[in-house]
Amino acid sequence: MDKLFYKDFKSNIFRGLKLIRALNLDPNAAVGPIRVEIAASSACNYRCWFCASHSYLYPDRIEPLFLSDELMRSLFNDLKKLHVTELLFSGNGEPLLSKAMIREIKQNGKKFLIEILSNGGNLSAVDEELFRNLQYLTISLNSGNGKSHQITHGYKGENQFPGIVNNIERLLNISGANKKIKLNYVITAENYEEIDDLIKMAAKWDVIFSARPVKADDQALRGKTLDRQMLENLDKKATQYLAGSNLSGRLSLSLQLIKRACQINYQDSVKSTKLYPCYVGFFDPYITSNGDVLICVSGQEHPFGNLNEESFQSIWQKRQNLAFRIMATQMHKTNQMAFSACRNCVNVQYHSLAFHNIYSKIPVLPGLLENRSRKLDSNITDKKGA
């Protein structure tokens, strides 16, 4: 456990230092974000009920779009120029359906630390060449034994869970694969009873998993979410496993992530009007499958620009976009939202607050950022959320 903890701690220290550098006040400097999240495709082979884009509970589906080969090549070149080191391919579709993404990662993936977040349904597209160019391959399994896999992922026909497990075990035969493969598990009322099977499977494979209770603001979905008692039981279950002996470092870390996720959901059960400082625009901006560049996955109200019209480097270095990113870091002081999704955003509690608690104690730097926020000439006021 100690070795894994300190490796992760050291990595986050370096990321924190890079984030401080990314808060560069010169928009013309060749300093990009820490990571860029990219939706290589909006097409998907599943219809997970909790998905905002493809849920089988809603009649409409988004148009299947793909970032082109040319655009993908240009994007990789720009990110290299801006010294971006981390890429996450996820978004509102299944990344492994994108041939352009696969080709670019095979050709230039070694220049970056790349993670693919997949639903697992197209893992046959991951050969050893692609896998070796990845830092992580995260599979949203969302089932511990396959019983809930079809109802959660919204597909008909034969249960695909066994095939996904077989593909994972195929990749685990590659040396060091257990350090690259991670599992995601959205905990719902339907798969809640399968969590023990997930823990046993992750222990067998010695892989990290991240299990979080589902978030569903739509009243129609409330019956599928965990109630307070379920959250408390889940927290206790993780505590009981942690009290056991001979836990691997990866399993221990995964169980602690469950407890943290439960605590954040406890806090979120009481809606707050408080705004938090958000650094996501410097840490993890988002590119949609139609080429829009957003401050984050929830930033559709205020696109920074589109890759079909100008380069990522040009969009990133625009003065007004820098102003917007800095403005989001000051929300706790101004009590003004960058856009409507900022209030009650849970994601900020996983990333920005941990960084802010340290950054705010560094002499001079927070004051410089606040002063720069006031001075930047920007017309973003009317684009804030209500």
Side-chain angles (χ1 to χ4, degrees):
M1 170 62 188
D2 288 344
K3 184 177 179 181
L4 187 65
F5 172 81
Y6 285 115
K7 180 181 178 182
D8 187 59
F9 178 78
K10 182 179 178 182
S11 173
N12 282 326
I13 287 292
F14 281 120
R15 293 173 103 204
L17 292 173
K18 289 169 67 177
L19 181 51
I20 291 174
R21 183 175 179 235
L23 291 168
N24 195 298
L25 303 185
D26 178 7
N28 296 313
V31 179
I34 305 304
R35 182 177 75 174
V36 175
E37 184 171 350
I38 304 166
S41 168
S42 61
C44 194
N45 49 325
Y46 287 157
R47 299 198 65 179
C48 304
W49 66 259
F50 47 76
C51 177
S53 302
H54 299 280
S55 174
Y56 65 79
L57 296 176
Y58 304 117
D60 298 327
R61 299 183 71 176
I62 63 173
E63 181 182 0
L65 300 173
F66 293 83
L67 295 180
S68 67
D69 286 86
E70 181 182 357
L71 194 150
M72 193 74 73
R73 280 193 299 271
S74 174
L75 176 59
F76 268 60
N77 288 334
D78 269 5
L79 295 176
K80 185 180 178 183
K81 292 176 185 176
L82 289 169
H83 305 287
V84 175
T85 56
E86 300 180 34
L87 307 181
L88 170 62
F89 286 95
S90 58
N92 57 350
E94 169 51 42
L96 289 173
L97 294 176
S98 169
K99 295 179 180 179
M101 179 202 74
I102 292 174
R103 279 193 290 266
E104 195 61 33
I105 292 176
K106 285 185 175 182
Q107 291 174 11
N108 295 299
K110 291 182 179 179
K111 300 173 184 177
F112 302 90
L113 300 174
I114 297 178
E115 178 177 359
I116 291 177
L117 175 56
S118 169
N119 60 36
N122 204 38
L123 283 181
S124 58
V126 182
D127 57 19
E128 188 166 345
E129 181 185 7
L130 176 63
F131 188 72
R132 290 195 181 281
N133 279 5
L134 300 179
Q135 182 188 31
Y136 295 115
L137 173 60
T138 301
I139 299 125
S140 294
L141 203 55
N142 303 326
S143 179
N145 54 34
K147 290 181 180 178
S148 64
H149 196 262
Q150 285 176 287
I151 188 64
T152 298
H153 293 87
Y155 63 87
K156 298 179 180 179
E158 186 177 353
N159 192 318
Q160 296 181 23
F161 183 81
I164 294 173
V165 169
N166 288 339
N167 266 315
I168 293 173
E169 293 183 335
R170 168 180 64 85
L171 293 170
L172 284 168
N173 287 323
I174 300 173
S175 177
N178 69 313
K179 298 175 183 178
K180 288 189 173 188
I181 290 177
K182 299 190 293 185
L183 305 178
N184 270 2
Y185 196 96
V186 177
I187 311 172
T188 71
E190 293 158 339
N191 64 18
Y192 172 76
E193 299 293 341
E194 298 176 35
I195 195 72
D196 288 291
D197 293 300
L198 168 71
I199 293 171
K200 292 174 184 176
M201 187 161 48
K204 172 187 171 184
W205 292 339
D206 191 22
V207 299
I208 288 177
F209 69 87
S210 176
R212 295 183 183 181
V214 67
K215 296 292 298 179
D217 293 327
D218 191 326
Q219 194 65 33
L221 306 180
R222 291 295 182 183
K224 293 178 174 287
T225 62
L226 304 188
D227 58 30
R228 180 64 181 254
Q229 186 61 55
M230 286 179 170
L231 285 170
E232 291 178 356
N233 291 342
L234 189 59
D235 194 353
K236 290 178 182 177
K237 184 188 293 288
T239 301
Q240 290 170 354
Y241 272 105
L242 282 167
S245 58
N246 300 321
L247 293 181
S248 72
R250 292 180 180 84
L251 182 56
S252 180
L253 179 60
S254 302
L255 293 168
Q256 291 177 54
L257 290 174
I258 289 181
K259 290 181 64 63
R260 174 163 170 74
C262 287
Q263 290 301 321
I264 287 177
N265 272 267
Y266 291 158
Q267 297 164 12
D268 193 55
S269 63
V270 179
K271 292 295 183 182
S272 171
T273 59
K274 185 177 180 180
L275 285 173
Y276 296 101
C278 183
Y279 298 85
V280 69
F282 295 95
F283 173 79
D284 197 24
Y286 178 60
I287 297 173
T288 70
S289 54
N290 72 353
D292 279 345
V293 178
L294 310 178
I295 190 172
C296 69
V297 294
S298 301
Q300 295 89 346
E301 294 174 27
H302 183 67
F304 285 165
N306 189 281
L307 296 180
N308 292 294
E309 300 169 2
E310 53 189 325
S311 70
F312 180 85
Q313 183 172 10
S314 173
I315 294 170
W316 175 259
Q317 293 179 329
K318 283 185 177 180
R319 183 182 179 88
Q320 64 266 32
N321 291 338
L322 172 63
F324 197 86
R325 294 196 299 270
I326 293 179
M327 184 263 283
T329 71
Q330 303 298 307
M331 291 190 296
H332 62 303
K333 293 184 176 181
T334 64
N335 200 36
Q336 294 177 329
M337 291 181 288
F339 44 87
S340 58
C342 294
R343 186 123 15 220
N344 295 312
C345 176
V346 175
N347 290 329
V348 70
Q349 298 182 48
Y350 284 100
H351 303 296
S352 284
L353 276 184
F355 172 77
H356 180 75
N357 289 336
I358 297 173
Y359 179 74
S360 61
K361 295 177 175 63
I362 300 175
V364 180
L365 290 183
L368 288 175
L369 189 63
E370 182 180 2
N371 186 56
R372 182 63 166 168
S373 179
R374 287 195 298 263
K375 288 185 176 181
L376 273 169
D377 181 22
S378 172
N379 295 319
I380 61 173
T381 305
D382 57 342
K383 299 198 175 185
K384 298 173 204 169

